[in-house]
Amino acid sequence: MNGPGTRDPFVDWLRATSLVVVVIWHWAFTILRWTPDGPSPTSPLGFLSGLWILTWLLQVLPVFFYVGGHVHLISWEHARARGERLAGYVWGHVRHLVLPAIALVVTWTVLGTVLAAAFDLRWIRGAVLLVLSPLWFLGVYVGLLVLLPLWLWLHRRYDVLVLVWLGGIALLADVLRFRYGVSWAGWVNLLVVWALAHQAGFFFQRLADAPRRWTQALLWAGLLGLAGLVFSGLYPGSMVGVPGDRVSNMGPPTFVIVALLVFQAGLAELIRPVLRRWFDRPGPHRFTAALSRFALPLFLFHTTGMALARGFGYLVFDHRLVDDRAPDLIWWVQRPLAILGPLVCTVPLIVLFGRNRKKHTV
């Protein structure tokens, strides 16, 4: 057990890894189709059947929100012990998240406007939107932070019942959306599903202290729930949006993401003992601390780095690196380069603009 005020390297690893996986996914598996309105993204999942099963492990945003709930609960308890007020705590965290995101949005908006006016680039608006689109989840995360007083009150007053109610609302929203054609009901889950994941994080330590059977039960319940929902034919198998699918499990999130959360929470708890022994070594401990420090700046700037790398490649190689084709052997062999190029372009941005975020806790 960690003492008061100490950081849990396993929690840091989960949070940082969930962001890094998203970054690597975007860098390695984004296929861009160029249209008059700008780049249109797709992925190998649209070309190769069966790969969607990998998204059950690689769609890790449920883990990020889950761990975020745990971190907010613990850090607020420490802040309260130091005499901080809840409003000040919330505003401090919101400010640290929002200010760099606003700066990024303003920079790209101004840059896009100037380039469009100077060179009459019709596609620049689509390119800017693509670069900024991953920030959607940060907006949801900030919304959950703003509502933290409500989540804390519900947790104190109703405990585990809150998870049951949020899960029921998520399921009801899907019923209204898919059975009765109430399309707007799906967007209710943009808050409810991620609020459920965040609220589930309040039970993180309780689950860690529970008997091993509870962990196994959680993992199997989530896995069997996922299989039942997907193979019923009511939901697609992929946990990310795939062009051509009737619906997306992520935009807005469906009840399938609730099952994914349960499965991944159980899996995270299952691997905790192994990773805890690994973190006892000085090298892995330092690596995890560094990863946690730079994960959020990496996420904020990764699409900017990707845009710079793609733009440089198009200029130097005269569009011969455009990956507007179905994945073949050459495409798969090039995946390390697809990661290396954006990484090289992103690191200077982190050095210039992200170094002051080292003390920030997401």
Side-chain angles (χ1 to χ4, degrees):
M1 293 292 293
N2 297 314
T6 62
R7 297 180 67 92
D8 184 341
F10 178 69
V11 171
D12 283 347
W13 181 85
L14 280 177
R15 183 175 47 183
T17 300
S18 62
L19 287 177
V20 171
V21 168
V22 173
V23 169
I24 292 177
W25 179 279
H26 287 163
W27 283 350
F29 300 120
T30 298
I31 299 175
L32 293 180
R33 295 186 177 280
W34 282 89
T35 70
D37 295 325
S40 176
T42 184
S43 76
L45 299 175
F47 299 94
L48 301 171
S49 61
L51 281 185
W52 54 264
I53 193 68
L54 297 179
T55 65
W56 292 18
L57 293 174
L58 297 178
Q59 173 49 279
V60 287
L61 281 183
V63 172
F64 180 82
F65 282 95
Y66 170 62
V67 175
H70 169 68
V71 170
H72 289 152
L73 178 64
I74 298 301
S75 64
W76 159 239
E77 289 175 349
H78 293 160
R80 182 175 58 182
R82 295 192 300 267
E84 288 189 33
R85 302 176 71 89
L86 183 55
Y89 169 86
V90 170
W91 168 242
H93 279 67
V94 168
R95 185 180 70 250
H96 281 297
L97 286 169
V98 167
L99 291 183
I102 290 177
L104 191 64
V105 170
V106 170
T107 299
W108 270 106
T109 301
V110 171
L111 181 63
T113 302
V114 171
L115 290 175
F119 301 102
D120 191 27
L121 301 177
R122 292 177 52 194
W123 51 265
I124 195 68
R125 180 176 179 272
V128 169
L129 289 176
L130 183 61
V131 169
L132 299 178
S133 60
L135 294 180
W136 72 263
F137 106 90
L138 201 59
V140 176
Y141 196 75
V142 168
L144 294 175
L145 257 175
V146 171
L147 294 174
L148 186 61
L150 171 63
W151 307 131
L152 291 171
W153 179 81
L154 288 171
H155 180 66
R156 290 192 302 267
R157 182 71 174 82
Y158 299 106
D159 200 65
V160 74
L161 283 177
V162 181
L163 302 182
V164 178
W165 293 336
L166 289 172
I169 294 172
L171 184 58
L172 178 60
D174 275 7
V175 170
L176 291 174
R177 177 185 174 189
F178 299 126
R179 177 65 178 86
Y180 297 102
V182 185
S183 58
W184 61 262
W187 293 104
V188 172
N189 278 348
L190 189 61
L191 173 64
V192 170
V193 169
W194 300 124
L196 191 156
H198 188 264
Q199 194 83 4
F202 291 176
F203 299 87
F204 185 95
Q205 192 58 52
R206 204 182 302 185
L207 179 61
D209 296 335
R212 194 72 165 168
R213 290 284 179 88
W214 285 93
T215 297
Q216 296 171 351
L218 201 65
L219 183 146
W220 282 105
L223 183 59
L224 293 174
L226 269 174
L229 291 167
V230 167
F231 290 106
S232 70
L234 300 175
Y235 298 93
S238 174
M239 299 299 112
V240 300
V242 178
D245 279 353
R246 180 175 56 88
V247 297
S248 166
N249 282 319
M250 279 293 292
T254 66
F255 188 75
V256 170
I257 302 301
V258 176
L260 180 67
L261 166 68
V262 174
F263 166 64
Q264 291 185 347
L267 180 62
E269 197 55 45
L270 194 67
I271 65 176
R272 176 200 287 260
V274 176
L275 288 177
R276 277 290 179 87
R277 290 192 292 270
W278 188 62
F279 293 137
D280 286 338
R281 305 174 185 175
H285 192 91
R286 288 194 295 269
F287 171 77
T288 302
L291 191 67
S292 179
R293 172 182 170 182
F294 291 108
L296 185 59
L298 175 66
F299 178 85
L300 285 173
F301 296 118
H302 82 279
T303 50
T304 299
M306 183 176 176
L308 293 174
R310 294 284 183 119
F312 180 77
Y314 297 158
L315 290 173
V316 171
F317 295 97
D318 192 24
H319 289 68
R320 283 176 289 175
L321 289 185
V322 175
D323 53 5
D324 188 4
R325 68 181 192 274
D328 53 19
L329 179 60
I330 295 177
W331 187 88
W332 286 105
V333 170
Q334 289 174 342
R335 292 312 87 201
L337 293 177
I339 296 173
L340 181 61
L343 178 61
V344 169
C345 293
T346 303
V347 168
L349 298 174
I350 295 175
V351 172
L352 289 173
F353 305 110
R355 63 171 61 184
N356 292 329
R357 302 184 57 77
K358 62 183 179 181
K359 296 182 179 179
H360 171 57
T361 299
V362 179

